[in-house]
Amino acid sequence: MPYVAVSALSHPGLLRERNEDSLVAGPWTLCATVTDSPQTLVFPLGGPLVVAVADGLGGHPGGDVASALVARRIAAAGAALSDEDAVRDTLGACNSAVYEAAGGTGGSEIAIMGTTVAGVVVRPGSVLVFNVGDSRVFAADRDGLRQVSVDDSPPAGPGRRTTSLVTQCLGGTRPFSAVTPHVTAVPLAPGDRFLVCTDGLTDPVPEEVLDDVLREHDDGRAAFELWKAAIEAGGPDNITLAVVRVSQE
């Protein structure tokens, strides 16, 4: 029977006091907490299956609240995410929900809380890739690793590989600002794999290292080795990732 294996973990890293990331795998959510080791879940390949990460904005109060809110709403909507418009509508609704929870234009402590989001919706024959912000989705196949999400961030400065700035996210500003989610469909072949992750992985770990790990390992071992690479690179931020593997067997 065709199936989808999702191996995921979420960890605060070495320098942050708390984890402000959240994760979705089908109906299962891991919100602003910590896994001690990768968790692997297996789902039948059939109706839409959503796997996503949400990274609460660092430096803004309520980042963990925003990421958890978005993760739970995406999980609840998962089975209805059948096409690109449905994904865009859900992300727009998530954006509005973050603003509503933050108190609109009021003066509450969490008035400018926000989060990035990135993920995939796996369907027979194709995958919908989506993101708002700088969390990322990569496709990993026999040709190597390639980014299939679109960063909402300005170019990195001279001599720098990354930037911490984002040009749009869910919430995060005052007053309300609409978002334009990146959503695209990519074909799905047997054995295809995807990496969904926050910038706590991609900022400290170069893509060639991610590629090497995914060429050598599958599932939970791949998730562990990716986390290990981020920790060995200093673990400067929360690390949340999911390795998604599609089998047609």
Side-chain angles (χ1 to χ4, degrees), residues 106-181:
S108 70
E109 183 184 21
I110 60 172
I112 55 172
M113 72 177 182
T115 184
T116 69
V117 65
V120 294
V121 181
V122 183
R123 311 172 298 174
S126 68
V127 171
L128 298 174
V129 176
F130 63 87
N131 78 284
V132 177
D134 60 356
S135 291
R136 291 179 176 177
V137 179
F138 296 89
D141 55 30
R142 66 184 65 183
D143 295 324
L145 191 73
R146 69 184 190 279
Q147 185 176 339
V148 287
S149 58
V150 179
D151 289 345
D152 287 313
S153 56
R160 297 182 62 86
R161 190 173 57 82
T162 63
T163 175
S164 61
L165 301 176
V166 294
T167 54
Q168 70 167 350
C169 62
L170 305 179
T173 63
R174 190 170 50 189
F176 174 86
S177 177
V179 294
T180 304

Side-chain angles (χ1 to χ4, degrees), residues 47-73:
L49 174 72
V50 62
V51 181
V53 297
D55 180 357
L57 294 187
H60 290 202
D64 54 340
V65 177
S67 73
L69 185 158
V70 168
R72 290 174 179 136
R73 288 186 70 97

Side-chain angles (χ1 to χ4, degrees), residues 21 31 37 48 51 56 59 90-91 135 137 146 170 174 207 224 229:
D21 289 355
C31 295
S37 61
V51 181
T90 295
L91 295 177
S135 291
V137 179
R146 69 184 190 279
L170 305 179
R174 190 170 50 189
E207 285 189 26
F224 172 80

